[in-house]
Amino acid sequence: MMDTSSWMTIYPEIVLLVMACVIALADLFVKSPKRTATYALTLLSLGGVAWLHAMYADAGQTLYGFGRLVVSDPMGHWLKCFATIAVMVTLVYSRPYAADRDMLRGGEIFSLSMFALLGMSFMISGQNFIVIYLGLELLTLSSYALVALRRDHTQATEAAMKYFVLGAMASGFLLYGMSMMYGATGSLELSAVFKAVASGHVNHQVLVFGLVFIVAGLAFKIGAVPFHMWIPDVYQGAPTAATLMIGGAPKLAAFAIMIRLLVEGLLPLAFDWQQMLSFLAIGSLVVGNLAAIAQTNLKRMLAYSTIAQMGFVLLGFVAGVINGQTLLAANAYSSAMFYIVSYVLTTLASFGVIMLLARQGFESEEITDLAGLNQRSPLYAGVMAICLFSMAGIPPMVGFYAKLSVLQSLIVSGQSFYIGLAIFAVLMSLIGAFYYLRVVKVMYFDEPVTATTVSATTDVRVVLSVNGLLVLVLGIVPGALMALCADAIARMLAV
């Protein structure tokens, strides 16, 4: 019989799975077109799951379950807590938008979102190649369905097809790399893989060959150049609710599997994968920022912005191991974690405003659609401006401290190559500031193209205001979140 402690490591996931099934069944009996009862039950369930993760994280224990298939540690639980909150916020923003577009007919958006979150949870807590891959597939299959949820919309169907085909290819890359690692080391468990690679008895060429495929698969999932081709088309073509579901919480899970695979499993190969990530980061910063300048569609611009932002996350990984020493690892990886959390927080609010401005029969996707927004609604113009300033890295927004923490992790290494990378990243950020500030200019100085007032339901207005306020407040007092990330990464590395 399985030890009960194993079940405790995945207790929040069990609750999430049970509630996802209950909600899918209960929704069959809901007649309201707005799915009010389903919506309330989903938020209540997700709130309980987030609270469980926070309790587990606060306990500070690291436990392994089911023969080291999964791990329960502070880093994992904080990331799962943030991912759960991100999904809750996404659903709050999405409900009015989805109702206007007949996407709530069957309530699938709620159950699919919960199954996607379940996939993220297993990606974050996986300690075995198979568990991580199964979590990834659960997330991606749910995401494909969410993108195609607007059945009568040609662009959404096209985006879902592109996402499915390219996603299948990326999953193949990742799975092939994992199979190479299994063949070379004889184990699927990350700690055993780490020991086998560190022993030096495994053929290095085989390991590097497998590593290339793993890094390629990971690069696709976060949207790094040259595996970024799906991001602009899917972001633009998908319903904005699905775009936020893809661009928000899953980025936290993608960061987690990078930590699990590259740091916990393949840290002895850090010299090799740090070089790969350096070039991916450089390409992402160049292509993301330069391509975003030419965009007139706001969602497409934010897609290229995401590519550039992921370049910064990758920079947090490249300076963790210097000359075989891991003294700077905690500093580097915690800066990347802080960056990804602040990025998701900012993304939620920015897409929340885009969905709020959309109305039945009209998608507020062009940059010109935001013209004169300050005259129509100073509150939502202010929230959007805060988000854009944060993504540009302008103080005192949280995005400034996120960029600063990554840059200092490169500079303290003392290596000329990493210092050069930091200078290059700053130059690319200056270019990026142009297209963010252009949108602010349109909102505050252009004449409105419509006199339509911006109205929002109470839940959307409150959550969006708090979301925007957090982007500002966490920039003014970032210490608590930085300390949380540093402690979580330190505990993960200490095991």
Side-chain angles (χ1 to χ4, degrees):
M1 187 174 227
M2 188 68 65
D3 182 7
T4 53
S5 62
S6 289
W7 293 105
M8 291 306 295
T9 58
I10 60 165
Y11 180 61
E13 284 79 8
I14 294 171
V15 173
L16 179 60
L17 174 60
V18 170
M19 291 311 299
C21 295
V22 167
I23 287 166
L25 290 171
D27 187 70
L28 296 172
F29 304 97
V30 175
K31 302 301 181 186
S32 167
K34 288 187 177 292
R35 290 292 190 275
T36 306
T38 309
Y39 169 72
L41 183 57
T42 302
L43 290 190
L44 191 64
S45 304
L46 291 177
V49 170
W51 178 78
L52 282 173
H53 285 307
M55 293 298 101
Y56 271 72
D58 199 47
Q61 291 182 302
T62 299
L63 304 170
Y64 294 90
F66 301 97
R68 296 183 77 93
L69 286 177
V70 293
V71 63
S72 167
D73 64 352
M75 184 198 79
H77 282 296
W78 280 126
L79 287 173
K80 285 186 276 190
C81 179
F82 296 147
T84 305
I85 293 170
V87 171
M88 289 174 67
V89 172
T90 301
L91 290 175
V92 170
Y93 294 158
S94 301
R95 183 169 163 249
Y97 175 93
D100 287 343
R101 283 149 190 80
D102 205 22
M103 291 167 63
L104 294 182
R105 273 184 299 185
E108 296 96 341
I109 190 170
F110 300 109
S111 49
L112 283 171
S113 298
M114 294 183 79
F115 283 119
L117 179 60
L118 184 64
M120 293 178 227
S121 297
F122 281 108
M123 287 167 68
I124 293 169
S125 59
Q127 278 289 291
N128 182 288
F129 285 147
I130 300 297
V131 173
I132 290 173
Y133 184 75
L134 287 175
L136 179 63
E137 285 304 287
L138 180 55
L139 167 62
T140 50
L141 289 171
S142 301
S143 300
Y144 301 151
L146 283 166
V147 173
L149 201 56
R150 200 173 172 188
R151 303 172 184 87
D152 56 351
H153 196 254
T154 310
Q155 275 188 307
T157 308
E158 180 188 345
M161 286 298 294
K162 288 177 180 176
Y163 190 21
F164 174 73
V165 172
L166 293 171
M169 184 175 68
S171 295
F173 281 166
L174 191 61
L175 194 58
Y176 187 64
M178 288 176 172
S179 66
M180 291 287 293
M181 288 296 173
Y182 173 62
T185 63
S187 179
L188 293 167
E189 186 197 317
L190 293 180
S191 58
V193 169
F194 180 95
K195 290 172 185 173
V197 174
S199 69
H201 298 143
V202 183
N203 188 312
H204 186 71
Q205 287 182 313
V206 176
L207 290 173
V208 172
F209 191 64
L211 181 64
V212 168
F213 281 95
I214 286 178
V215 169
L218 293 173
F220 177 91
K221 294 305 174 186
I222 66 167
V225 173
F227 305 97
H228 67 291
M229 67 290 289
W230 65 277
I231 292 256
D233 289 343
V234 173
Y235 271 45
Q236 183 180 355
T240 309
T243 302
L244 183 52
M245 192 60 75
I246 295 168
K251 291 292 188 283
L252 297 166
F255 167 81
I257 61 170
M258 289 183 70
I259 288 284
R260 300 296 187 204
L261 293 173
L262 299 181
V263 178
E264 293 192 17
L266 301 170
L267 195 62
L269 295 176
F271 178 76
D272 299 293
W273 58 253
Q274 284 181 175
Q275 290 182 74
M276 297 178 199
L277 296 186
S278 297
F279 289 108
L280 291 173
I282 292 169
S284 299
L285 287 167
V286 171
V287 173
N289 284 311
L290 294 182
I293 292 173
Q295 306 307 314
T296 57
N297 182 283
L298 185 58
K299 282 166 69 176
R300 201 171 181 87
M301 187 203 86
L302 289 174
Y304 281 108
S305 157
T306 294
I307 294 167
Q309 301 285 349
M310 291 305 105
F312 258 97
V313 174
L314 292 176
L315 288 177
F317 280 85
V318 303
V321 179
I322 308 295
N323 298 324
Q325 301 297 312
T326 58
L327 299 175
L328 302 176
N331 180 40
Y333 305 145
S334 64
S335 72
M337 181 176 171
F338 180 76
Y339 197 101
I340 202 77
V341 171
S342 62
Y343 162 78
V344 169
L345 181 68
T346 309
T347 298
L348 288 169
S350 58
F351 277 98
V353 172
I354 293 173
M355 275 191 277
L356 179 63
L357 297 180
R359 54 189 183 276
Q360 198 160 14
F362 174 74
E363 298 286 338
S364 180
E365 292 184 1
E366 298 299 317
I367 292 174
T368 52
D369 292 334
L370 269 64
L373 179 60
N374 182 54
Q375 296 175 39
R376 294 164 55 203
S377 174
L379 172 63
Y380 303 126
V383 171
M384 192 65 173
I386 286 172
C387 293
L388 292 166
F389 286 143
S390 180
M391 286 188 271
I394 296 172
M397 311 308 165
V398 70
F400 167 74
Y401 283 98
K403 282 181 166 59
L404 183 65
S405 63
V406 170
L407 294 174
Q408 64 84 24
S409 75
L410 292 168
I411 292 168
V412 296
S413 68
Q415 304 287 307
S416 56
F417 174 69
Y418 295 136
I419 294 172
L421 271 182
I423 294 169
F424 174 77
V426 170
L427 293 175
M428 287 297 105
S429 293
L430 288 175
I431 294 172
F434 166 76
Y435 57 84
Y436 293 122
L437 296 178
R438 179 182 60 181
V439 180
V440 176
K441 174 258 178 191
V442 168
M443 290 193 302
Y444 281 86
F445 299 107
D446 285 12
E447 288 300 316
V449 291
T450 175
T452 309
T453 55
V454 182
S455 60
T457 56
T458 304
D459 54 346
V460 173
R461 187 168 61 250
V462 170
V463 173
L464 191 55
S465 301
V466 171
N467 196 166
L469 191 63
L470 278 174
V471 175
L472 177 60
V473 170
L474 287 174
I476 298 170
V477 282
L481 183 56
M482 282 181 163
L484 183 150
C485 294
D487 179 68
I489 293 292
R491 289 176 184 272
M492 180 273 298
L493 291 170
V495 175

